[in-house]
Amino acid sequence: MPTTTQFVVSGQSKPGVLAEVAAVLGAAGVNIKAFSAPEVTGPGKLRLIVADVDAARIALRKSKIKFREETALILSLENKPGALRQVADSLTRARINVKCGYCTPSREGKRAIVVLTVSNTTKALGVLRTHSLDEF
């Protein structure tokens, strides 16, 4: 199961934040593979997974966009009812908390790409190794 670096940009939830981050990364030639921008009032968090972590880090720093990094799990599940439940049940039994999660269908639609940050990444990797996963 692959893990990746996820960027977390914290700040006020207001018009233009996503546009600014996307412009900075686009100008640096960094492709955004996934993002999460939940609806909030006031302070919020924009989470991004990118194709080139090093280039994104440099571009964000150069543009003085404050961010932190966290490890995220990337799961490729069958795109069918109940697939996420199996993962969630496994994590629950292991007493691992899901701190953040979002998903999208894969390009062909047969798989669902799930991004999770959890309370114990190492333990989660061991618990979820039995799930069939593809590259993201």
Side-chain angles (χ1 to χ4, degrees):
M1 165 188 333
T3 61
T4 191
T5 298
Q6 178 169 256
F7 291 95
V8 182
V9 177
S10 297
Q12 284 295 86
S13 178
K14 63 182 182 180
V17 174
L18 177 59
E20 178 187 8
V21 171
V24 165
L25 294 176
V30 176
N31 187 36
I32 298 171
K33 296 172 74 175
F35 78 94
S36 170
E39 180 181 350
V40 296
T41 302
K45 291 185 170 90
L46 170 63
R47 286 181 162 86
L48 304 116
I49 294 179
V50 298
D52 187 337
V53 171
D54 292 330
R57 189 180 294 125
I58 291 166
L60 292 171
R61 284 184 182 145
K62 185 177 177 183
S63 295
K64 298 187 185 332
I65 294 174
K66 293 181 183 179
F67 66 93
R68 66 180 173 83
E69 299 176 25
E70 61 188 10
T71 301
L73 304 173
I74 307 295
L75 291 76
S76 175
L77 307 176
E78 284 188 74
N79 193 6
K80 68 175 189 175
L84 183 58
R85 180 180 178 194
Q86 292 175 341
V87 169
D89 284 348
S90 295
L91 294 173
T92 299
R93 282 191 300 278
R95 301 189 53 80
I96 298 169
N97 186 42
V98 175
K99 298 190 300 185
C100 174
Y102 51 99
C103 70
T104 185
S106 63
R107 288 185 192 126
E108 75 281 353
K110 295 178 183 176
R111 307 292 292 174
I113 307 304
V114 178
V115 179
L116 297 175
T117 56
V118 295
S119 58
N120 187 329
T121 302
T122 304
K123 188 174 179 182
L125 286 169
V127 167
L128 299 176
R129 288 221 189 276
T130 58
H131 292 274
S132 176
L133 304 171
D134 297 327
E135 280 296 314
F136 177 50

